[in-house]
Amino acid sequence: MRTLDFTPLWRTSVGFDHLAGLIDGMSRRPNEDSYPPYNIERSGEDHYRITLAVAGFGASDISVTAEQNALTIEGKTSDGDARRYLYQGIPARPFRRVFSLAEYVQVKQASFRDGLLTIDLVREIPETMKPRKIQIGATAASSQIERKKAA
């Protein structure tokens, strides 16, 4: 297993301490089940879409929960319809899939159509967090010197 050295990152950044923990946690996870299959696509500068293939499930069998920095999708079929399969090639077993979300990424909508669950996400950075130009003003000491020169 490869070890990552974050020393260069720590020299030039502030507040990314949790990044090493997040990456470390991801690498230590046991091999996750690949069910249900899914795609993650970037559909714009700050727009993302997650699509899960959930054949055998209905919209009422799936729950989507957005918490602080996590998106949890769970599916469980209702056992009300007791069918006797000779062969079951479409798995409909319960699942739980968790996606880690970056800061300011929010779920905009979820839709279910033709056995595909689609979740649209958008990164919305608050105005106070966007880059802004900082004006450089005179310090108190330099303004006193300028006042004395003027007098």
Side-chain angles (χ1 to χ4, degrees), residues 95-146:
F95 69 89
R96 183 173 195 265
R97 173 118 8 229
V98 179
F99 296 93
S100 296
L101 302 178
E103 289 187 81
Y104 311 117
V105 173
Q106 298 178 0
V107 176
K108 280 302 175 188
Q109 70 176 12
S111 60
F112 183 82
R113 183 174 174 206
D114 298 333
L116 295 175
L117 173 67
T118 303
I119 301 168
D120 292 315
L121 305 124
V122 176
R123 179 186 1 238
E124 292 180 340
I125 299 174
E127 282 297 319
T128 57
M129 300 302 289
K130 290 183 179 176
R132 59 185 163 57
K133 183 85 172 166
I134 306 298
Q135 295 296 323
I136 301 174
T139 63
S142 64
S143 8
Q144 289 176 357
I145 293 170
E146 289 177 18

Side-chain angles (χ1 to χ4, degrees), residues 43-97:
S43 56
E45 180 69 28
D46 290 322
H47 294 75
Y48 305 91
R49 176 173 284 164
I50 299 173
T51 305
L52 284 90
V54 287
F57 288 87
S60 61
D61 299 329
I62 300 170
S63 71
V64 178
T65 307
E67 294 181 67
Q68 188 166 354
N69 286 344
L71 172 65
T72 305
I73 304 165
E74 295 180 280
K76 183 177 181 185
T77 57
S78 57
D79 293 332
D81 186 17
R83 296 181 182 180
R84 293 179 48 196
Y85 292 100
L86 297 177
Y87 171 77
Q88 185 176 4
I90 302 172
R93 63 181 186 261
F95 69 89
R96 183 173 195 265
R97 173 118 8 229

